[in-house]
Amino acid sequence: KQEVTQIPAALSVPEGENLVLNCSFTDSAIYNLQWFRQDPGKGLTSLLLIQSSQREQTSGRLNASLDKSSGRSTLYIAASQPGDSATYLCAPRNNNDMRFGAGTRLTVKP
Amino acid sequence: GAVVSQHPSWVICKSGTSVKIECRSLDFQATTMFWYRQFPKQSLMLMATSNEGSKATYEQGVEKDKFLINHASLTLSTLTVTSAHPEDSSFYICSARSGGSYNEQFFGPGTRLTVL
C-alpha cells in the first residue's frame, strides 16, 4: 500500500519568500502525481498534474518536480503571497487509486 | 478543468438516521468515481472506488453495509451513510475521473456531515 509523507507538516514564511514543499512516496510504480491546495473547510483545488514520464510541470508561480525512481516530488512556490496560505496535498496515483499525504500547512504572513 | 458537484454541502442529522450524498460530474462522463473522508486536521482517506454499473470496491476497514455506494450512471454516484452515529461525522469528498489511470482526477467541494 502506497505511503505518502509530506515535509514539513507546517510552514510559516513572510510574504515574498520562495519556498519548497516536499513529498515522498514508497511505491514508485505510479501513473502520475497531483498537487492540490485545500483551504479550511473546503474541497480540493488541483494545482499541477505530473505524468510519470515527466520531470516537472509549471503553472504561474508554481513548479512541481517529480523523481519517480526515488519516490520524491517537490512543489516550489515563488514569491509567496498571503493568498497562498492553505494546506498543500501531494497525491501519487497507483493503478486505480490515489493516496494522499497529510499535507503541509502553509501560512504566508503579510 | 472539469467540474464535480456534491449535494448537500452540509447536513446535520440525528443518530440512527440515514443520509444520502450525491456526487455529479457536470461536464464529463465519469467512468470511475471515488469517495474519501477527511477528519479534522487529517488528510483524505480513500473509502471506496466505483466503476459505472459495477459494485464498489471498498478499502480495508470500511464497512460496505454502512456506507452504501451506487454508481448507476456515468454522471452520478451516491454515498448513503446508514444508521449514522456521531463517529461518522466527517467531511466526505467525492472525486471523478474519465477514462484510464493517466487521466486527471477531479474533486467535488465536499459534504460536511454532523451526526448528533
Side-chain angles (χ1 to χ4, degrees):
Chain A
K1 178 182 170 183
Q2 179 75 279
E3 300 288 339
V4 185
T5 303
Q6 290 189 243
I7 295 173
L11 182 63
S12 181
V13 300
E15 182 176 5
E17 271 203 11
N18 302 324
L19 51 101
V20 176
L21 308 182
N22 297 291
C23 170
S24 61
F25 46 95
T26 55
D27 185 350
S28 62
I30 63 172
Y31 284 89
N32 53 46
L33 183 146
Q34 276 183 263
W35 281 92
F36 298 87
R37 70 172 279 168
Q38 184 177 31
D39 294 287
K42 304 292 186 182
L44 305 183
T45 300
S46 180
L47 298 174
L48 289 162
L49 167 69
I50 311 178
Q51 297 293 352
S52 60
S53 58
Q54 297 176 319
R55 299 286 289 183
E56 65 178 310
Q57 279 284 350
T58 298
S59 176
R61 294 181 295 108
L62 305 179
N63 176 277
S65 67
L66 174 64
D67 185 343
K68 179 184 164 185
S69 60
S70 67
R72 296 180 187 277
S73 178
T74 60
L75 179 66
Y76 175 83
I77 302 177
S80 58
Q81 302 171 357
D84 295 331
S85 298
T87 296
Y88 289 80
L89 299 166
C90 159
R93 176 197 307 292
N94 300 82
N95 296 321
N96 202 32
D97 63 62
M98 172 183 282
R99 303 285 170 168
F100 285 81
T104 293
R105 190 165 59 254
L106 173 66
T107 302
V108 181
K109 296 174 288 187
Chain B
V3 179
V4 176
S5 70
Q6 278 183 246
H7 178 79
S9 56
W10 59 270
V11 57
I12 301 173
C13 69
K14 293 182 178 180
S15 185
T17 60
S18 294
V19 175
K20 180 184 285 188
I21 303 170
E22 291 187 351
C23 175
R24 294 181 185 272
S25 57
L26 299 186
D27 49 5
F28 68 101
Q29 292 187 325
T31 50
T32 307
M33 284 187 163
F34 308 83
W35 286 95
Y36 296 82
R37 65 187 299 181
Q38 185 178 34
F39 292 107
K41 298 190 185 300
Q42 295 186 26
S43 193
L44 281 73
M45 299 298 293
L46 180 66
M47 298 174 67
T49 301
S50 69
N51 293 302
E52 184 264 337
S54 302
K55 288 185 178 180
T57 301
Y58 290 81
E59 292 298 300
Q60 191 172 7
V62 179
E63 299 175 57
K64 63 179 181 181
D65 294 329
K66 181 167 186 61
F67 298 100
L68 301 179
I69 292 172
N70 186 303
H71 188 172
S73 78
L74 285 170
T75 58
L76 173 65
S77 176
T78 60
L79 168 66
T80 302
V81 183
T82 62
S83 187
H85 288 97
E87 57 266 31
D88 298 324
S89 298
S90 187
F91 192 51
Y92 292 87
I93 303 177
C94 78
S95 179
R97 189 185 74 216
S98 174
S101 295
Y102 286 98
N103 292 348
E104 190 169 353
Q105 195 168 313
F106 300 96
F107 285 77
T111 296
R112 173 78 57 196
L113 170 63
T114 301
V115 184
L116 302 176

